[in-house]
Amino acid sequence: METLNYRFEQGKDGLRLKAAPQMVGVVGSGNLEVLIEAADLAGACAIEITTAAVGFGPIWEAVMRDFHQRWLLADTRISINDMGATPAVVSLRMDQAVQTMLGEPR
C-alpha cells in the first residue's frame, strides 16, 4: 500500500462545497471509492490517496492536477481508497463526487 498526499491552494476564488460529506464508488478489483467533504483548509483542496498500486505517483499527480484545474475546489478534503483503478476511472469517480456534492444528476 502507498499513501500519496496532494494539496492545491486556491484561496478565496475556489468553489466551496456546502453539502454533507459524500461517498462514491466501491473499493474492489480495479475500482476505488472517493469520500469528499467540506473542510476548513484556508482555501485549499487536500487530497489523500491510499492505493494498492505502488509506484504510480507521477500519474496520480497528473490526474489530481487535471481534476483540480477542472473544478478549482477550495476548503475541500478528498480521501481516495484505490484498488488499481485506471486514470479514466479515477477522473470519473472524482467528477461524480463533486457532482453529487453539487446536487447534480450523475
Side-chain angles (χ1 to χ4, degrees), residues 72-83:
L72 297 175
L73 297 176
D75 289 330
T76 304
R77 179 176 299 124
I78 300 172
S79 302
I80 299 172
N81 292 316
D82 171 59
M83 290 300 291

Side-chain angles (χ1 to χ4, degrees), residues 4-105:
L4 305 167
N5 288 285
Y6 301 97
R7 184 177 174 101
F8 299 97
E9 305 295 336
Q10 189 54 38
K12 62 182 174 66
D13 298 329
L15 172 63
R16 285 176 171 77
L17 303 172
K18 304 292 185 195
Q22 298 290 319
M23 177 84 71
V24 298
V26 176
V27 173
S29 180
N31 211 325
L32 76 158
E33 65 184 8
V34 177
L35 171 65
I36 186 169
E37 57 191 326
D40 186 8
L41 298 171
C45 176
I47 304 171
E48 180 176 273
I49 303 159
T50 303
T51 179
V54 176
F56 291 91
I59 294 170
W60 277 105
E61 183 175 359
V63 173
M64 296 304 103
R65 286 191 183 285
D66 180 64
F67 168 78
H68 179 68
Q69 289 174 354
R70 259 194 324 279
W71 292 101
L72 297 175
L73 297 176
D75 289 330
T76 304
R77 179 176 299 124
I78 300 172
S79 302
I80 299 172
N81 292 316
D82 171 59
M83 290 300 291
T86 65
V89 171
V90 173
S91 291
L92 173 75
R93 289 285 179 246
M94 293 186 72
D95 287 346
Q96 183 182 28
V98 174
Q99 292 167 339
T100 299
M101 288 284 281
L102 294 173
E104 296 176 4

